Amino acid sequence: MRAAILTDIHSNLAALEAVLAHAEAQNALDQIWSMGDLVGYGPQPSECLAQLRQYEFQSVTGNHDLAVVGGIDTRLFNPAAAAANHWNADRINDEERQYIKALPRTLVLDDISLVHGSLRDPVWEYMFTLEAAIGQFQQMTTPFSLVGHTHVPLIFAEQEDGGPPEYWQLEDGELIELGDRRLIMNPGGVGQPRDGDPRAAYAVYDSEARTIAFHRVGYDIERTQAIMTEAGLPASLISRLTRGR
Ligand code: ZN
């Protein structure tokens, strides 16, 4: 079984379509797993949900998903993100709202835990520090976990000698073997990358080979930006897509 692993799609249909085409070319769409933030920021929430739900699709919820369906207060977000969340909320229909509301906070698929932020704080914690990674390893009941939320492709590997986890940023084409070392992996964001590379980021899990491969995929950024401009979404959210920040 080969699954595409996506996170932080953020209503960016052009990015999602490019990633799905890339995954399709590698027969990696037996399933789609997601670490949340399907919506928010971008201009096409319903279109993205419809695309994803054509597949065997499983996702946890993210902070933006919860904000768009009224699960958390948008005052916890910066003004641009809050405005985009309200705009997304007005665009989805009741059935889509119920679908998002029903997303779980965590999932275990095979021997991999999925969560948006972290297992100790599924909605908000950013897996950006050694302290957060150590906390995650303590909470993990599986050898591997997949997270989102930071929009940066990053891996933490537990040290056998009990020392602080090793970590590095994942490059396009990097292949990670799921072996004896416990790992926390973030494939980076599909719809709003933040590592300075504007290309969409995602990963492919191969259950037989026991590997996860990390990929970057160029997409038509201007197409998404034109729809955002038309929609009157905040300029800061439009320009950041070009910079990948
Ligand atoms: Zn996000």
Side-chain angles (χ1 to χ4, degrees):
M1 188 279 288
R2 286 163 66 78
I5 300 170
L6 316 181
T7 188
D8 298 276
I9 295 161
H10 283 301
S11 302
N12 186 340
L13 183 65
L16 176 61
E17 285 179 348
V19 162
L20 292 176
H22 189 275
E24 172 100 69
Q26 314 183 55
N27 294 315
L29 289 175
D30 296 327
Q31 298 181 16
I32 298 177
W33 298 0
S34 156
M35 286 80 78
D37 277 6
L38 307 174
V39 297
Y41 286 132
Q44 292 176 288
S46 294
E47 293 87 341
C48 287
L49 287 168
Q51 277 280 334
L52 292 164
R53 292 171 72 186
Q54 289 176 21
Y55 298 90
E56 194 177 319
F57 174 63
Q58 298 193 75
S59 182
V60 295
T61 195
N63 54 324
H64 288 258
D65 300 317
L66 286 166
V68 165
V69 299
I72 50 180
D73 195 330
T74 55
R75 282 175 297 187
L76 295 166
F77 293 79
N78 69 56
N85 282 339
H86 286 296
W87 191 89
N88 272 250
D90 289 341
R91 284 289 303 257
I92 58 172
N93 64 36
D94 277 340
E95 193 277 331
E96 290 162 340
R97 192 167 293 110
Q98 293 311 318
Y99 178 83
I100 293 172
K101 273 188 177 172
L103 295 174
R105 298 213 170 196
T106 60
L107 275 172
V108 175
L109 301 171
D110 293 355
D111 55 354
I112 307 174
S113 301
L114 277 70
V115 66
H116 186 63
S118 74
L119 290 169
R120 66 184 179 187
D121 184 357
V123 176
W124 288 111
E125 185 172 31
Y126 288 92
M127 195 60 59
F128 250 155
T129 64
L130 285 175
E131 199 274 319
I134 290 165
Q136 179 81 348
F137 281 123
Q138 285 169 352
Q139 299 273 320
M140 282 162 59
T141 57
T142 56
F144 311 107
S145 71
L146 288 162
V147 300
H149 195 39
T150 66
H151 304 199
V152 172
L154 192 64
I155 184 169
F156 293 90
E158 198 173 44
Q159 298 271 48
E160 277 169 32
D161 64 8
E166 265 191 274
Y167 63 97
W168 64 94
Q169 240 174 281
L170 292 155
E171 302 287 335
D172 183 23
E174 196 161 341
L175 186 76
I176 299 295
E177 294 192 10
L178 304 180
D180 293 338
R181 283 182 107 180
R182 300 211 304 160
L183 303 171
I184 303 163
M185 293 158 283
N186 186 332
V190 171
Q192 194 201 74
R194 291 182 189 162
D195 62 343
D197 181 343
R199 295 177 297 170
Y202 86 109
V204 171
Y205 166 59
D206 187 318
S207 65
E208 279 96 60
R210 302 295 294 156
T211 56
I212 298 186
F214 294 83
H215 299 289
R216 302 304 288 256
V217 184
Y219 74 97
D220 189 348
I221 295 173
E222 288 176 11
R223 182 181 132 200
T224 295
Q225 290 175 319
I227 302 168
M228 291 175 80
T229 301
E230 176 115 348
L233 285 162
S236 61
L237 300 183
I238 298 171
S239 62
R240 72 186 297 176
L241 296 178
T242 309
R243 292 177 282 118
R245 291 285 181 199

